[in-house]
Amino acid sequence: MKIPWWRDAVVYEIYVRSFADASGDGVGDLPGIRGRLPYLADLGVDAIWLTPFYRSPMADGGYDVADYRDVDPLFGTLADFDALVADAHTHGLRVIVDIVPNHSSSEHPWFRAALRGENRDRYVFRDSGDLPPNNWQSTFGGPAWTRTPDGQWYLHLFAPEQPDFNWRDPRVHAEFLDVLRFWLDRGVDGFRIDVAMGLYKAEGLPDAPATDQAFKGESPIWGRPEVHEVYRRWREVLDSYPGERMAIGEVWTDSAEDLARYVRPDELHQSFNFAWLEAPWSATAFRKVIDDTLADMTAPTWVLSNHDVVRHVTRYGEGLPNSTTGLARARAALLAMLALPGSAYLYQGEELGLPEVRDLPAEARQDPIFARSGGTLPGRDGCRVPLPWSGQEQPYGFAPEGTAPWLPQPVEWTALSAERQADDPGSTLSFYRQALRARRGLRGALPDGLTWLESEEDALFFRRGALTCVVNCGVEAVPLPPHDHVVIGSAPVEGHLLPPDTAAWLHTP
């Protein structure tokens, strides 16, 4: 039986500002992406996910949307978007776009009208005297409330420039249903929903417990039951279009069981499985995440990095004396992820083995987290540095020669450019292409589940049909299970031993 494309797709996240700059202003854009579609098709992914490219003052890199139905001139035009979608489909790539329903920009016409005293019910405004209405904190630091000149307070769970919508107002529902149709009519294949567990807040806006800021517990802020009705209505819209349109939610929660509530036949198609991303380099931790996910999720997803977290090459190597260990583990984790049932989401640049950039100068940083914390938190700029495509110096082919990218690129990236790695069979880029080709070759031939095999304590062995995946998270080599041959390894696998920090796929009759 043919399964929907998204059930086992490999999706490549494009942080638009940092992928490719065709205009020469130092910021990535839609024409830049369009010019790199052959690279993505050759890499072997099935779909691309674009971060917000809508009109925005860019207080939070585009996640503060001023117009949900237009392209910001920084990124191009609606005609550029249409051409990108058409070309992507020609290359066999689906297109997923970000939608930001929890909040808008403070420059959105609705919020400008609200500041004039018109239709304030479309946002969360409260009278509260000289003190904020409750103890809620912004995820970017500081109170989640800002006072207006007339004395009322408005809610912003992120930056003050990102006021939260009031989803108890039917006009907000109608607006986003129309926004979905606008982009579906232009040919998009799906939506990634930002802060999907947000939207509704508890009636009366009670104080939050301390753990609430970490998206846990019985929260007055996150994961309110009313949000599920929103996605039921969205699912009706998606199902009314041909071509298996889909939606995936950014849902931060502390259990796979809770995550599964968003993924039901009449709600979202998928939710991001951040437990996999958060797991340490540990066979025990990996197995628990896999078991929990497969027990509760009907459409599992797996992700190692994205535009909001430290790149996993750096996470896996944190505090270790050998500078290459993080990359070795990252390559092994990719093989483990691609062998699991479900779909995999990649983040741009991970196929080049890019590490987090930790030494960005303070004056270059643009993440509001850095500013709102007074520089005590580095923010997310380190994983958003523009990609190195070619050449020996900045901008490394990201932009026309002589252009300064919006975030500076480290000189060490000369050796990591796509051009430098393309013809090197031992490079991370070549490894990703190999792994994705091998996975595509197995599509439709593997069962939905997996079987655990006996292994050493620090190793992880599982089987899906003729494929056996082995991962060694320990410090000593471990014996391999019986097999015909090695299909692919994250590092050379010789004889009958699997080296430390290595994964491999084995063919087993």
Side-chain angles (χ1 to χ4, degrees):
M1 183 178 71
K2 182 179 180 294
I3 65 170
W5 67 269
W6 45 267
R7 284 294 295 264
D8 65 350
V10 176
V11 182
Y12 184 98
E13 180 192 353
I14 294 177
Y15 188 72
V16 177
R17 291 163 58 87
S18 298
F19 188 70
D21 168 25
S23 68
D25 62 359
V27 179
D29 47 43
L30 299 182
I33 297 169
R34 188 181 174 198
R36 297 290 182 179
L37 289 174
Y39 167 88
L40 295 169
D42 184 56
L43 182 61
V45 300
D46 302 298
I48 56 175
W49 150 32
L50 308 178
T51 57
F53 49 82
Y54 315 112
R55 285 188 178 268
S56 167
M58 301 297 156
D60 184 25
Y63 282 92
D64 49 317
V65 181
D67 185 344
Y68 287 86
R69 297 177 184 81
D70 201 4
V71 174
D72 194 282
L74 190 66
F75 302 129
T77 64
L78 275 172
D80 291 327
F81 178 81
D82 293 339
L84 170 58
V85 172
D87 278 10
H89 288 164
T90 298
H91 282 90
L93 298 168
R94 309 271 185 162
V95 179
I96 298 169
V97 300
D98 237 307
I99 189 166
V100 188
N102 181 72
H103 50 264
S104 74
S105 165
S106 55
E107 294 299 312
H108 191 287
W110 280 12
F111 192 73
R112 291 206 303 265
L115 291 181
R116 296 193 300 268
E118 304 167 16
N119 294 308
R120 281 194 171 176
D121 286 347
R122 294 184 292 202
Y123 293 88
V124 182
F125 279 85
R126 290 293 184 273
D127 290 314
S128 186
D130 292 334
L131 296 175
N134 59 31
N135 70 345
W136 296 3
Q137 295 294 297
S138 162
T139 61
F140 289 171
W145 297 91
T146 289
R147 199 173 189 186
T148 60
D150 65 4
Q152 278 203 315
W153 299 77
Y154 71 86
L155 177 68
H156 52 86
L157 294 179
F158 296 88
E161 297 87 353
Q162 294 168 288
D164 278 47
F165 284 115
N166 172 24
W167 274 85
R168 299 187 186 280
D169 189 311
R171 292 170 295 183
V172 177
H173 287 265
E175 170 70 1
F176 276 92
L177 290 171
D178 190 69
V179 168
L180 291 179
R181 294 187 185 100
F182 179 87
W183 294 107
L184 289 167
D185 289 342
R186 302 194 91 90
V188 305
D189 299 285
F191 298 93
R192 177 266 187 186
I193 305 167
D194 187 59
V195 197
M197 73 293 178
L199 282 58
Y200 277 90
K201 285 73 182 175
E203 295 276 16
L205 307 180
D207 280 353
T211 56
D212 199 75
Q213 303 311 321
F215 311 101
K216 298 178 185 292
E218 292 297 323
S219 170
I221 306 174
W222 311 108
R224 303 299 305 167
E226 300 95 324
V227 77
H228 295 285
E229 186 57 35
V230 173
Y231 299 134
R232 291 187 184 101
R233 296 175 68 183
W234 286 21
R235 181 63 177 260
E236 291 173 0
V237 172
L238 290 162
D239 287 349
S240 72
Y241 281 78
E244 300 175 330
R245 314 296 177 97
M246 58 81 73
I248 178 169
E250 180 199 24
V251 180
W252 292 92
T253 181
D254 55 355
S255 77
E257 181 183 9
D258 187 41
L259 190 65
R261 294 191 179 100
Y262 291 81
V263 184
R264 293 186 269 203
D266 64 343
E267 290 192 43
L268 301 182
H269 300 78
Q270 295 179 323
S271 284
F272 281 110
N273 182 15
F274 294 121
W276 181 251
L277 177 152
E278 293 174 325
W281 180 252
S282 157
T284 302
F286 287 161
R287 179 162 179 167
K288 183 179 188 318
V289 172
I290 293 168
D291 282 340
D292 290 349
T293 300
L294 297 184
D296 291 310
M297 300 295 292
T298 57
T301 65
W302 313 95
V303 59
L304 289 165
S305 282
N306 63 35
H307 65 280
D308 282 333
V309 300
V310 173
R311 286 185 176 272
H312 61 282
V313 166
T314 298
R315 293 200 317 269
Y316 287 150
E318 208 82 68
L320 299 176
N322 190 333
S323 61
T324 63
T325 300
L327 179 58
R329 291 177 173 180
R331 290 168 59 131
L334 174 79
L335 273 193
M337 178 171 78
L338 294 181
L340 293 167
S343 59
Y345 283 75
L346 311 181
Y347 179 49
Q348 65 177 39
E350 70 172 80
E351 77 279 10
L352 304 178
L354 297 186
E356 187 83 355
V357 180
R358 286 274 172 78
D359 57 355
L360 288 168
E363 62 272 16
R365 293 186 180 274
Q366 299 187 30
D367 190 342
I369 292 175
F370 180 77
R372 284 178 64 82
S373 69
T376 60
L377 298 175
R380 301 157 294 175
D381 291 321
C383 67
R384 300 176 175 184
V385 174
L387 296 191
W389 290 100
S390 59
Q392 302 298 310
E393 57 185 24
Q394 192 171 265
Y396 298 113
F398 162 73
E401 189 175 346
T403 302
W406 72 280
L407 285 173
Q409 301 156 299
V411 295
E412 296 83 6
W413 282 15
T414 303
L416 298 178
S417 73
E419 178 185 62
R420 188 81 166 263
Q421 296 193 43
D423 297 323
D424 176 2
S427 71
T428 301
L429 176 57
S430 294
F431 167 67
Y432 264 69
R433 287 173 173 165
Q434 249 188 306
L436 292 173
R437 193 178 308 119
R439 186 182 193 272
R440 184 167 285 184
L442 292 168
R443 183 164 286 165
L446 301 179
D448 286 341
L450 58 79
T451 301
W452 292 109
L453 304 179
E454 190 174 333
S455 66
E456 300 289 334
E457 183 180 358
D458 292 325
L460 198 69
F461 294 180
F462 63 85
R463 183 170 177 171
R464 294 182 65 205
L467 173 67
T468 296
C469 179
V470 293
V471 187
N472 184 0
C473 297
V475 296
E476 302 288 342
V478 298
L480 294 170
H483 63 282
D484 273 357
H485 62 272
V486 176
V487 177
I488 183 174
S490 63
V493 178
E494 299 174 357
H496 296 282
L497 291 176
L498 182 68
D501 300 324
T502 302
W505 290 1
L506 311 176
H507 182 268
T508 310

